[in-house]
Amino acid sequence: MKEFFVGLIFLVAVTILAGIGFLLLPLLLLLTFFLRILVAFLLLCFAIWLLGKFILFVWVKISH
């Protein structure tokens, strides 16, 4: 009988967690959208910094 209740509790817990995950799906989709924008912005900033670093490197090599 103990095994039955353990299995039942497990199934109830899985059902509750699946329900919470289903309800959080719109929030997760929204977070991934903003995370994609944040990563694109950070990559753009890195590319601009790298371009400036390259220009200064070439400038120093040309001037000497």
Side-chain angles (χ1 to χ4, degrees), residues 4-56:
F4 175 77
F5 287 119
V6 169
L8 184 64
I9 290 171
F10 176 77
L11 289 177
V12 169
V14 168
T15 304
I16 290 172
L17 290 174
I20 290 172
F22 180 73
L23 291 174
L24 287 176
L25 183 63
L27 176 64
L28 293 175
L29 290 175
L30 190 65
L31 286 175
T32 56
F33 174 72
F34 284 119
L35 185 62
R36 183 180 300 170
I37 290 174
L38 178 67
V39 168
F41 177 72
L42 290 176
L43 285 175
L44 180 66
C45 288
F46 178 71
I48 292 170
W49 173 80
L50 198 58
L51 177 65
K53 190 131 178 107
F54 176 72
I55 290 171
L56 288 176

